[in-house]
Amino acid sequence: MAAQHEITQRDLRSRSKEIMDAVQGGQSFTVTRDGHQIGELIPLRRRRRFVPRGEFAAMSRTAPGMSLDAFRTDQSATAEQETDDPYAR
């Protein structure tokens, strides 16, 4: 993990756009007040929307086997459940 840059609360207030752009770009910051660390600004982890075909194929090859009979039993049990009618109240 890359080292976090230390910024003061005043820096955060006066350079917020620049700092937030850096966070969006993957940079992390430790915020200080009166010389004491009070918080961290870190980028959110983004989930990938797509998995490359080769990676999906590799994961599929190592996935545990599945019983078709067990799947059908689970599916039947779920399909037989009655749903509540929200307008029946």
Side-chain angles (χ1 to χ4, degrees):
M1 177 176 257
Q4 292 185 357
H5 295 276
E6 206 167 88
I7 58 172
T8 64
Q9 179 183 5
R10 178 175 286 174
D11 278 342
L12 177 58
R13 194 171 47 243
S14 64
R15 299 176 31 224
S16 63
K17 182 187 181 332
E18 175 188 341
I19 291 168
M20 290 300 153
D21 287 346
V23 170
Q24 187 175 14
Q27 194 170 346
S28 300
F29 295 90
T30 299
V31 181
T32 63
R33 182 192 308 155
D34 298 327
H36 301 332
Q37 295 180 344
I38 61 168
E40 294 178 326
L41 289 173
I42 58 172
L44 293 175
R45 291 183 184 160
R46 305 219 180 217
R47 295 178 70 181
R48 292 188 300 178
R49 294 184 79 181
F50 301 101
V51 177
R53 179 180 293 189
E55 188 176 334
F56 178 79
M59 289 187 304
S60 297
R61 283 191 292 274
T62 60
M66 188 171 107
S67 163
L68 187 56
D69 291 332
F71 175 75
R72 287 187 176 144
T73 301
D74 289 345
Q75 190 176 30
S76 294
T78 303
E80 292 174 4
Q81 295 177 359
E82 292 185 30
T83 58
D84 293 334
D85 183 359
Y87 300 105
R89 298 179 191 177

